[in-house]
Amino acid sequence: MQDDKRNKFYVTTPIYYVNDVPHLGHAYTTIAADVIARYKRLNGFEVSFLTGSDEHGQKVQQAAQELKVEPQVHVDRLHTRFRDLWTRFNISNTDFIRTTDERHKKIVREILQNLFDRGEIYKDSYEGWYCMPDERFWTEKDLVDGNCPECGRSVDKIKEHNYFFKMGQHAEWLIEHIQANPSFIQPESRKNEVLGFLSKPLGDLCISRPKARLAWGIPLPFDDDYVTYVWFDALINYISALGSQDDAKNGGFWPADFHIVGKDILTTHAVYWSTMLKSMGLPIPSSIFAHGWWTVNGKKMSKSLHNVVEPNLLIDLFGVDAIRYFLLREAPFGQDADFSHKALIGRINSDLANNLGNLLNRTVSMIKRYHDGKIPDPGETNAFDSLKDDFASALPEIRKGYDELSYNKILERIWKLVDAGNKWIDVKAPWNLFKTDEGKKELAPVMYHTAESLRAIAVLIYPFMPHTSEQILIQLGVEGGPEKQSLDSITNWYGLKPGTEMQKGERLFPRIEEKQEQKIQETLDAASKNNAKPKTDSKDGGLADPISIEDVMKLDLRIGKILEAEKVKKSKKLIKLKVDIGFEVRQVVAGIATSYEPEMLIGRSIILVANLKPAKLMGIESQGMVLAGSDDGQIVLAGFDKELPLGARVK
Ligand code: ME8
């Protein structure tokens, strides 16, 4: 990390796909970035903290088509779900970039033109396998069982002209850089994944998509028939948000100190982005941190699995800071973790209510009782320095934790200090000191140091739990909020002014009792039932009633080949097909236009329900039905790994 970079610190999150529902996984990354941003501010850094939304591409175009609105209208509506969630989570981002912002599109086009002029981008014909949902090309050897290696869905063979970025020339220096800079890819364990990727020949990157296939993107400045590949567009957000590629004009924030991303997008950041920057003549980021997954019952959260944990509901039930704390305390940042409400409630009751809440409540009520609600005088003696020393010795460990983004270790260390505060009260037993005149002499310094330890804890937890930190400081009568405190004030101690009147504050972290827990569980169950309601076309539930083998045999399924395809006028969904099933040619009307362009269909093998009674769709007779599956509105035609003769029966 470049702590000496002119006292400026730049941290980013991925820009999230605007058409996804924001879930706890997205919140995780964004909260983690918020914590380091707040920590750096406490250390006097000027911080640029960027998040945003990724708004171009096939899925957005398709969803907008289905809703019969312009894509821009669609993304204008959708991106606010992320913005609003970040406000609720108390995220202190300094900017929110959208890839449809003019400022972004302008810089993307400038960069493309510059690379093209310098011969870093060239046009070539390309033949490969294309995964529509992922908008990615694959080579034959990338495919797994003939399917997309990323999402497992079917791929289409596509031959077309496209533009390529000369990425292949960059492998050597990148490997050297990764090996020479251990903090470039963090955690350490992820480094080998990237090196493994780079050990295979690194090809050039296809960075265009023909407009005929995908119109919703940034047009290439040197060829209006193409738009920019979403990843080439999206990665540039980290530069375009700064307003310029020119260091003098971008406020001196580049290179980024941390790109915080999930492990799914490490390669795009470590390889695509680094090589893009190199050919743009810009330094590469100091560090890319790829964290682990939040799973539910061992499965990655995903909209299509209906298992996403809805963050707004969690905030309503448990409060913002409890969730921020839990997410970063529960598992090491680089590793996967399984989410459960039970574990969350467990942490709230033990760490927050019993430990921190208890320290606060005891301190405040004793100062009220013994010192009239005013911060007492610590006196001259250093006989009470043991608590102060505990805090001072923890600070270097905590700082180191931030350099490595070991959030769970930082919190663990802070909670040892919370325990030390509680233990101090137990050992000093102010209630006994209050009983005798001799004891009363010690009472004021004991209570001062107790209160001061609480101030120090408020400062330490500020990056993780800003609201709680603020509330504790209010109760201690400290003015100006946590941002006005500094980490050095923990070593210097004596931050509280004797005689300051304490203030009434919110009751923080009441215990969640068993009865309440039951109610919470009911609310969550109801919500997840709603979430899990199978759609009629869902792949993971909603099975129809059983049928017999005789019923199955009634279906006459045949292999066919599409000879002609054209869109049905005035229909967004229907395509009229001519299908050869060996012994005759059928006219079939299929509802697949949201996922297939007619040109893509010609010559394709399909499976036809050949004995379906003819029916009219928009006045056109359909003599059969084409088999297809769907995932989140994406329709995928059924087919076979190997060519079969036309008219062959499928059983
Ligand atoms: O990939 N656990 O956007 P995206 C933890 N637009 N983190 C998770 C998660 C989970 N279960 N699910 C998602 C994109 N995330 C691109 C990024 S950047 C130039 C373009 C988090 O909406 C995690 O940070 O699919 C992951 O990398 C990111 O969301 C993916 O967000």
Side-chain angles (χ1 to χ4, degrees):
M1 207 167 41
Q2 300 196 346
D3 272 8
D4 55 346
K5 193 187 64 181
R6 289 145 288 157
N7 222 31
K8 287 183 193 311
F9 182 79
Y10 186 25
V11 60
T12 69
T13 73
I15 48 171
Y16 304 108
Y17 286 127
V18 76
N19 51 323
D20 278 348
V21 184
H23 59 65
L24 207 65
H26 303 117
Y28 183 48
T29 321
T30 312
I31 292 168
D34 188 53
V35 170
I36 186 79
R38 286 177 186 272
Y39 167 74
K40 283 286 163 181
R41 286 192 202 105
L42 270 189
N43 282 278
F45 278 75
E46 188 187 339
V47 172
S48 177
F49 169 15
L50 178 69
T51 186
S53 49
D54 195 349
E55 306 191 352
H56 289 123
Q58 192 96 36
K59 286 181 203 159
V60 170
Q61 178 174 297
Q62 230 158 47
Q65 258 168 11
E66 277 164 26
L67 293 167
K68 301 188 173 68
V69 294
E70 286 301 314
Q72 189 61 55
V73 174
H74 185 54
V75 294
D76 284 349
R77 282 182 199 154
L78 287 194
H79 85 281
T80 54
R81 298 189 299 192
F82 284 92
R83 265 206 152 119
D84 294 348
L85 185 64
W86 304 151
T87 307
R88 286 203 81 191
F89 265 119
N90 216 345
I91 302 298
S92 65
N93 55 304
T94 52
D95 198 354
F96 186 102
I97 190 151
R98 303 175 55 191
T99 51
T100 54
D101 285 346
E102 275 314 317
R103 59 175 174 155
H104 173 73
K105 293 193 277 189
K106 180 173 161 274
I107 300 237
V108 171
R109 285 165 64 88
E110 268 174 30
I111 289 173
L112 281 164
Q113 187 66 57
N114 186 285
L115 293 179
F116 184 69
D117 292 345
R118 290 194 291 107
E120 298 288 322
I121 289 175
Y122 64 94
K123 192 173 185 181
D124 202 358
S125 96
Y126 183 80
E127 189 171 347
W129 296 96
Y130 190 66
C131 173
M132 272 253 278
D134 285 345
E135 295 167 41
R136 273 178 93 158
F137 281 106
W138 301 105
T139 62
E140 185 86 39
K141 71 175 166 46
D142 291 329
L143 303 182
V144 176
D145 298 333
N147 292 321
C148 169
E150 196 121 305
C151 69
R153 284 177 273 211
S154 66
V155 285
D156 298 306
K157 191 150 205 176
I158 284 187
K159 186 172 180 183
E160 63 191 17
H161 277 92
N162 262 314
Y163 286 89
F164 292 83
F165 162 59
K166 289 185 183 166
M167 184 165 78
Q169 58 187 344
H170 290 283
E172 205 175 313
W173 72 260
L174 187 54
I175 293 171
E176 274 167 28
H177 183 83
I178 293 170
Q179 279 162 344
N181 294 277
S183 59
F184 175 51
I185 293 169
Q186 293 192 58
E188 172 84 29
S189 52
R190 295 252 167 262
K191 198 170 83 175
N192 288 338
E193 269 172 38
V194 181
L195 287 173
F197 181 85
L198 287 169
S199 69
K200 291 184 226 145
L202 183 64
D204 289 346
L205 182 67
C206 178
I207 54 128
S208 64
R209 298 292 181 261
K211 257 192 196 163
R213 190 147 55 79
L214 169 68
W216 184 236
I218 302 177
L220 294 184
F222 41 82
D223 191 336
D224 210 35
D225 288 338
Y226 291 86
V227 297
T228 315
Y229 169 44
V230 273
W231 269 104
F232 199 91
D233 159 358
L235 286 161
I236 291 175
N237 90 89
Y238 302 128
I239 290 286
S240 66
L242 297 176
S244 166
Q245 299 173 63
D246 178 352
D247 194 49
K249 291 188 208 146
N250 72 25
F253 281 105
W254 194 256
D257 295 272
F258 270 117
H259 286 319
I260 302 185
V261 299
K263 61 183 183 181
D264 53 333
I265 55 175
L266 174 60
T267 313
T268 44
H269 281 76
V271 181
Y272 295 9
W273 183 222
S274 301
T275 57
M276 283 163 70
L277 284 163
K278 184 79 167 178
S279 39
M280 282 151 63
L282 288 176
I284 62 174
S286 306
S287 190
I288 300 168
F289 195 109
H291 65 68
W293 289 135
W294 275 100
T295 57
V296 176
N297 297 326
K299 287 201 178 119
K300 184 181 173 243
M301 267 177 240
S302 110
K303 201 165 65 167
S304 54
L305 290 179
H306 310 291
N307 68 349
V308 292
V309 178
E310 212 290 296
N312 282 293
L313 179 62
L314 286 190
I315 295 177
D316 293 342
L317 291 171
F318 303 104
V320 168
D321 279 1
I323 298 160
R324 290 178 60 118
Y325 173 79
F326 173 76
L327 289 178
L328 295 175
R329 172 66 186 86
E330 193 63 6
F333 193 46
Q335 291 172 23
D336 292 353
D338 204 50
F339 182 84
S340 88
H341 300 102
K342 257 210 143 19
L344 170 58
I345 293 172
R347 285 262 172 226
I348 292 176
N349 281 345
S350 66
D351 300 7
L352 301 183
N354 284 1
N355 297 358
L356 180 59
N358 201 20
L359 178 63
L360 174 70
N361 296 338
R362 291 161 97 190
T363 310
V364 169
S365 69
M366 285 192 287
I367 293 183
K368 259 190 209 149
R369 172 127 40 102
Y370 306 142
H371 301 285
D372 218 11
K374 290 196 182 100
I375 302 291
D377 203 308
E380 297 289 302
T381 166
N382 51 10
F384 299 94
D385 274 359
S386 69
L387 203 49
K388 171 180 180 259
D389 295 344
D390 273 349
F391 276 76
S393 66
L395 210 54
E397 286 172 54
I398 291 171
R399 286 191 192 280
K400 183 165 177 286
Y402 275 108
D403 289 342
E404 298 161 356
L405 303 192
S406 320
Y407 294 120
N408 69 323
K409 281 196 193 149
I410 300 170
L411 287 171
E412 214 176 306
R413 190 65 191 88
I414 298 174
W415 253 253
K416 277 195 187 151
L417 296 172
V418 174
D419 289 344
N422 274 319
K423 196 163 164 215
W424 164 268
I425 297 178
D426 294 341
V427 170
K428 298 289 175 190
W431 46 91
N432 287 337
L433 297 175
F434 188 62
K435 283 184 195 153
T436 64
D437 284 346
E438 199 51 33
K440 273 185 184 153
K441 284 185 203 150
E442 276 195 15
L443 186 61
V446 163
M447 285 317 301
Y448 179 88
H449 287 278
T450 314
E452 178 63 10
S453 74
L454 205 52
R455 184 195 68 83
I457 283 163
V459 177
L460 289 173
I461 63 171
Y462 163 72
F464 296 88
M465 298 198 278
H467 179 72
T468 306
S469 165
E470 189 179 76
Q471 285 301 314
I472 294 176
L473 291 178
I474 287 174
Q475 300 200 28
L476 292 171
V478 176
E479 281 176 2
E483 293 93 341
K484 285 273 176 305
Q485 309 283 309
S486 72
L487 273 193
D488 287 339
S489 76
I490 287 162
T491 336
N492 299 338
W493 209 245
Y494 301 111
L496 290 172
K497 273 196 222 112
T500 313
E501 192 134 7
M502 300 209 311
Q503 305 292 319
K504 234 184 141 45
E506 278 173 27
R507 184 153 180 247
L508 295 171
F509 308 120
R511 255 189 85 79
I512 298 175
E513 302 300 343
E514 232 168 88
K515 251 194 188 159
Q516 257 174 303
E517 199 175 320
Q518 258 173 24
K519 264 202 159 152
I520 287 174
Q521 199 54 54
E522 279 163 23
T523 314
L524 290 165
D525 287 347
S528 76
K529 254 189 213 139
N530 241 350
N531 197 12
K533 242 183 219 155
K535 301 188 216 151
T536 46
D537 62 349
S538 110
K539 58 178 177 244
D540 55 350
L543 282 180
D545 292 336
I547 56 168
S548 66
I549 184 75
E550 287 77 18
D551 289 332
V552 176
M553 293 314 289
K554 281 185 197 158
L555 274 177
D556 191 345
L557 303 174
R558 301 290 175 141
I559 302 288
K561 185 173 236 142
I562 299 174
L563 302 177
E564 289 172 32
E566 62 175 280
K567 280 201 166 147
V568 172
K569 279 194 192 108
K570 293 196 188 138
S571 168
K572 293 250 186 241
K573 288 196 176 156
L574 300 180
I575 292 188
K576 186 170 86 176
L577 307 170
K578 286 271 158 65
V579 180
D580 184 357
I581 51 170
F583 45 93
E584 60 184 328
V585 174
R586 294 280 184 91
Q587 172 173 289
V588 178
V589 181
I592 55 175
T594 51
S595 301
Y596 290 91
E597 292 297 331
E599 308 79 85
M600 295 160 63
L601 292 167
I602 294 163
R604 226 201 114 112
S605 295
I606 50 101
I607 304 169
L608 189 79
V609 184
N611 62 336
L612 188 68
K613 276 190 194 147
K616 280 200 171 167
L617 296 169
M618 292 196 76
I620 305 168
E621 184 172 289
S622 181
Q623 302 156 336
M625 188 173 109
V626 175
L627 290 190
S630 86
D631 184 12
D632 267 348
Q634 173 73 39
I635 298 165
V636 181
L637 287 172
F640 286 96
D641 289 343
K642 253 177 79 181
E643 285 268 310
L644 285 171
L646 295 186
R649 189 140 187 214
V650 180
K651 284 184 254 177

